[in-house]
Every structure is written in structure tokens, then in C-alpha cells.
Amino acid sequence: MKAIIRPAEERGHADHGWLDTRNSFSFGDYFDPGHMGFRALRVINDDVVRPGTGFGTHGHRDMEIISYVVGGALAHEDSTGGKGVIRRGDIQVMSAGTGIRHSEYNASHREDVRFLQIWILPSRDGLPASYRQRTIPESDKRNRLALIAGPRDSGAALPIHQDVLAYACLLDDVRIVSHPIGPGRGVWVQVVDGSVSVNGILLGCGDGLSIEDESRIEIRSAGSAEFLLFDLA
């Protein structure tokens, strides 16, 4: 098994006042040639946006962008006509494709919104731009891996244009989930809250872990925990 830990405290970090962001991979002003992504997974930003502020309208191209809300409410609007507010338990998928302009604002004037912003390279450039959002019931994630995003024929809650399976899980204390890894595939585990052990490797809040050359992983909680798992070609 080839396993590499990405410790939370070694991530890129910037506090802009309105935004506190921690970057698992190189992003914006944070550049580290040793951490440019993992396979098709290009960005994992753990963002906290202050009340009444947010990302003004800006553009993207040729990227699959997933937003996973941990707490608070995030208001979205884009040039395809996509519009909505996503809260804890909700996810959104935006295929930037040939070009999309969008804004993301904290929908509250009283409390922070925390969300993970995830970028995945698409299978090809020039796809049509689109936006979707979906509520994933907490029961679907409780002590099981819920497939929140994946290829159109994967049965995922929301489709993306890449051979990546994205799962979310809420583990109660002293619970275990396992996941098979197909030949040649790799897995990234990102801890959102709490702590877990992955094949005996202990991870805390904000830690990431890549695993390759392994046929199965077992994820065990140490207290209640929340994590995302990405299974990548």
C-alpha cells in the first residue's frame, strides 16, 4: 500500500477577513509544486465565509466544481440561470464547461458558512456548462458511504463528467465502513470533522490521505466523525 498523509496544519492558509480558507492543494496565491492535486482531483478548499459577504461574480472554464456545505447557508447564482441556497446536507455541482460566471455568498447576515470547495478536472474540455443542487439526507450518510457525485451511470446523487466517485459519510463513535478499490484506482480521504483511522492510519480534522496500490480500505471512527472519500481512475 502506498499512503501519503496531507496534514491539516501544512495546508495553505489565508485569512482575508471576509474569507478564511485552507487549501489542500495549490490554489490562488498559495503555490506548492509538491501539492498540485491527486489524479483528477485538483482543489480541496475548506472555506469559512463571514456573514453577509462572499465571492462576487467571476468566471470558470473546463472544471467540475462541487460545493459541500458543512454549516450555515450558501447562496448561488450563475449565468446558466442556476440559482439557490444550499445548507448543511446539501451539495451543488457546477460544470464550468465552455464557460460559466457565478457568485457564491453567505446567505446569512448573522452566522458563518463553512463549505468545502472541490474541483475535479473533466474528462474532456468544451462540455456544456450546467448547474445542479441536491439535498442528501443525513440518514443516507449515517455509518455508510453515500455516493454524492459520480459519472452519469454510477447512481450518484449528482452527475459529473469524470470517472470519479465522491462519497460522504457521518460515522458514529466506534463504527466502521469499508470501501473496495478497483485495480489501478486511487483514493483520497478528506476529514471534515472529528478523527478516523484509515487502514490503521490516524487522521484528524482537516487531514487528507491518498492511498494507492491497495484493494480495500477500512475507515474506523474515533468518536463521531465526518469525511469525504474520492475514488479516482
Side-chain angles (χ1 to χ4, degrees), residues 100-111:
I100 193 169
R101 293 183 62 76
H102 75 114
S103 62
E104 311 288 340
Y105 280 93
N106 188 335
S108 171
H109 288 276
R110 297 184 302 276
E111 63 177 355

Side-chain angles (χ1 to χ4, degrees), residues 41-192:
L41 184 58
R42 179 60 188 84
V43 167
I44 302 178
N45 292 346
D46 194 335
D47 290 342
V48 175
V49 179
R50 304 306 179 199
T53 67
F55 302 89
T57 302
H58 60 286
H60 297 292
R61 298 181 61 89
D62 298 319
M63 194 67 68
E64 304 291 287
I65 301 174
I66 301 171
S67 296
Y68 180 87
V69 175
V70 181
L74 187 69
H76 169 92
E77 190 167 354
D78 68 56
S79 56
T80 72
K83 187 175 183 179
V85 175
I86 61 173
R87 296 174 172 83
R88 175 165 177 79
D90 295 340
I91 62 167
Q92 67 177 24
V93 169
M94 187 173 67
S95 294
T98 53
I100 193 169
R101 293 183 62 76
H102 75 114
S103 62
E104 311 288 340
Y105 280 93
N106 188 335
S108 171
H109 288 276
R110 297 184 302 276
E111 63 177 355
D112 293 344
V113 57
R114 179 189 171 202
F115 71 105
L116 269 65
Q117 181 183 170
I118 299 142
W119 291 14
I120 295 171
L121 296 167
S123 57
R124 61 184 177 88
D125 291 345
L127 294 162
S130 64
Y131 173 80
R132 298 176 181 87
Q133 68 180 60
R134 183 85 175 264
T135 299
I136 310 298
E138 191 161 298
S139 59
D140 288 2
K141 299 182 286 185
R142 179 69 60 188
N143 300 316
R144 66 183 73 183
L145 292 167
L147 184 56
I148 61 174
R152 189 168 296 278
D153 60 354
S154 66
L158 289 174
I160 56 174
H161 300 99
Q162 182 54 272
D163 186 4
V164 173
L165 302 169
Y167 298 87
C169 183
L170 299 168
L171 273 184
D172 293 329
D173 190 15
V174 198
R175 296 298 294 265
I176 300 171
V177 294
S178 62
H179 178 74
I181 305 173
R185 298 182 71 87
V187 163
W188 182 279
V189 176
Q190 184 70 34
V191 182
V192 178

Side-chain angles (χ1 to χ4, degrees), residues 16-33:
H16 302 286
W18 64 275
L19 167 69
D20 190 281
T21 181
R22 298 178 188 275
N23 317 122
S24 295
F25 306 123
S26 294
F27 184 86
D29 293 333
Y30 169 63
F31 177 73
D32 182 342

